[in-house]
Amino acid sequence: MIRLNSDTETRPTTAMRKVMAEAEVGDEQRGDDPSVNRLQLRVAELLSKEAALFLPSGTLCNLIALKAHTRPGDAVVVEHMAHIVRAESGGAALAVGLMVEPIVTDRGVFGPDALDEALARVGTLPTPYGTSARLVCVEQTHNLGGGTVWPLPTLRAVGERAWTQGMAVHMDGARLMNAAVASGTPAAAFAACVDSLWLDFTKGLGAPLGAVLAGSKEFIAEARRYKQLFGGALRQAGIVAAGCLYALDHHVERLAEDHENARHLAQSLDAIDGIRVRNPEPETNMVFFEVRKAGLDHSALIARLHEAGVALGASGRYIRAVAHLDTGRAEIDAAIALVDRLMAQ
Ligand SMILES: *Cc1c(COP(=O)(O)O)cnc(C)c1O
């Protein structure tokens, strides 16, 4: 099976499994797991933040950050197709009590003017009628926007505008390292524009699970409390942290190959009759396309491809393909040939 449906499909490599099996471990919940502690230090350093906290998932990083930066009834300003809005079970509302003030964009990136417009709708100070926006969230890269990179100057401008308004800024950095590799901007430069951020180890970095949230000492102390509260405190988690450390050593630079493969995939699909690629020049590892041919619907095509051994995902009005560690050029070429053949039929 060629699993192009998501970069979460990466399986731990033999070398990664070996270091995981041999990891030094302790009781993580008590702060006694040496591998987890090493990973937290490593990420804090990578992002030039005071402290970092290991968590089992990116979704929990977002939930804890929302909780730590706001109070129930506040508003969070966030792009309308952000993972926080579309794919986290309404946690912002259910578990944190937030109103969402969406900013509508095509590709997931907005500038300070769009933030101003949102703040003209919601305001930053409580009034008898409205609520107050305490937090802005950005997504690096923006998944449903097309794997879009927030350019550093745009991010800085939005961060500074938010700080001027007394708001906090949080980055969902599920694919932060893809953004860093694609743009040549160090992850720490992006991190300097926000109060808190996290990166995921289960996407292109290829670890089986784990995410690390970073920020100020005070923020991380509070995050630790919510980690316990939400059931995210673990025991011998060093087994997993060792895989994450391995990923930082071996799987970051190679993300450039995924980006190159995504570009090749996008251009090859775009050349097939009846296919329109939304992002023919993908910035990172994702390709979104639609089929415009009479009588062909997306779910039928996805089902046919799946039967033939290629997994792709439906994403709104598009089909999404994601290049990753387990889909090299040979797998990408096999997928292209199959799509070409099915489209010709
Ligand atoms: C995958 C993803 C998440 C959630 O991460 P998990 O580790 O799967 O919980 C959050 N934001 C974005 C943009 C993602 O792609």
Side-chain angles (χ1 to χ4, degrees):
M1 195 76 195
I2 299 172
R3 298 176 213 275
L4 283 168
N5 50 307
S6 176
D7 48 6
T8 56
E9 290 283 1
T10 51
R11 305 292 203 257
T13 62
T14 307
M16 180 183 279
R17 285 171 193 257
K18 187 163 185 296
V19 301
M20 292 175 72
E22 291 166 359
E24 250 190 293
V25 297
D27 192 335
E28 190 258 7
Q29 210 173 91
R30 296 170 186 276
D32 286 342
D33 188 295
S35 301
V36 168
N37 293 343
R38 209 174 301 136
L39 176 64
Q40 291 175 162
L41 271 178
R42 176 89 182 265
V43 172
E45 230 172 71
L46 174 73
L47 302 179
S48 293
K49 291 291 184 199
E50 285 176 2
L53 184 66
F54 179 78
L55 287 159
S57 75
T59 300
L60 191 54
C61 290
N62 277 338
L63 188 64
I64 286 175
L66 292 173
K67 188 80 188 146
H69 285 303
T70 65
R71 294 196 319 190
D74 287 344
V76 53
V77 177
V78 56
E79 204 282 330
H80 82 305
M81 293 307 285
H83 200 276
I84 285 175
V85 182
R86 300 291 161 197
E88 299 184 5
S89 309
L94 177 65
V96 192
L98 295 181
M99 302 275 289
V100 164
E101 183 61 41
I103 292 179
V104 177
T105 76
D106 180 32
R107 293 172 56 259
V109 175
F110 56 86
D113 292 349
L115 176 57
D116 283 343
E117 282 167 30
L119 294 182
R121 297 191 295 270
V122 66
T124 53
L125 296 171
T127 70
Y129 301 108
T131 178
S132 51
R134 305 300 312 147
L135 178 67
V136 183
C137 292
V138 297
E139 194 171 298
Q140 183 74 303
T141 63
H142 197 290
N143 182 343
L144 297 181
T148 320
V149 177
W150 273 76
L152 186 60
T154 311
L155 182 64
R156 188 178 290 136
V158 166
E160 280 173 1
R161 187 67 56 93
W163 285 335
T164 307
Q165 297 290 333
M167 303 169 77
V169 186
H170 170 70
M171 175 184 278
D172 169 341
R175 295 182 182 79
L176 175 63
M177 300 319 291
N178 290 81
V181 167
S183 64
T185 305
F190 291 127
C193 305
V194 301
D195 296 292
S196 60
L197 78 167
W198 59 273
L199 60 106
D200 213 337
F201 289 91
T202 67
K203 305 280 164 82
L205 294 180
L209 61 107
V212 176
L213 177 66
S216 70
K217 276 202 181 101
E218 297 73 36
F219 171 82
I220 291 298
E222 205 174 350
R224 186 177 294 280
R225 173 171 169 242
Y226 290 125
K227 170 176 171 164
Q228 182 71 30
L229 187 153
F230 289 132
L234 305 168
R235 299 301 185 181
Q236 286 72 35
I239 291 253
V240 174
C244 301
L245 282 163
Y246 179 90
L248 284 178
D249 287 332
H250 300 280
H251 291 171
V252 175
E253 296 308 318
R254 64 150 309 283
L255 291 171
E257 284 171 44
D258 299 342
H259 302 163
E260 195 45 50
N261 283 333
R263 177 170 287 261
H264 170 62
L265 177 63
Q267 288 171 358
S268 306
L269 289 177
D270 212 31
I272 295 173
D273 195 31
I275 286 183
R276 188 189 76 88
V277 175
R278 174 192 181 200
N279 57 335
E281 308 228 327
E283 293 180 49
T284 56
N285 63 338
M286 295 184 182
V287 181
F288 289 75
F289 65 97
E290 59 187 333
V291 172
R292 286 199 171 146
K293 205 167 188 180
L296 245 187
D297 79 87
H298 282 178
S299 50
L301 181 66
I302 289 172
R304 289 287 303 280
L305 283 161
H306 200 272
E307 272 166 34
V310 173
L312 292 174
S315 174
R317 52 187 276 246
Y318 297 103
I319 297 176
R320 191 184 73 162
V322 188
H324 55 75
L325 187 59
D326 295 354
T327 61
R329 186 56 73 102
E331 285 76 23
I332 298 280
D333 279 334
I336 294 165
L338 185 64
V339 174
D340 195 20
R341 202 164 73 236
L342 290 182
M343 289 298 292
Q345 287 170 11

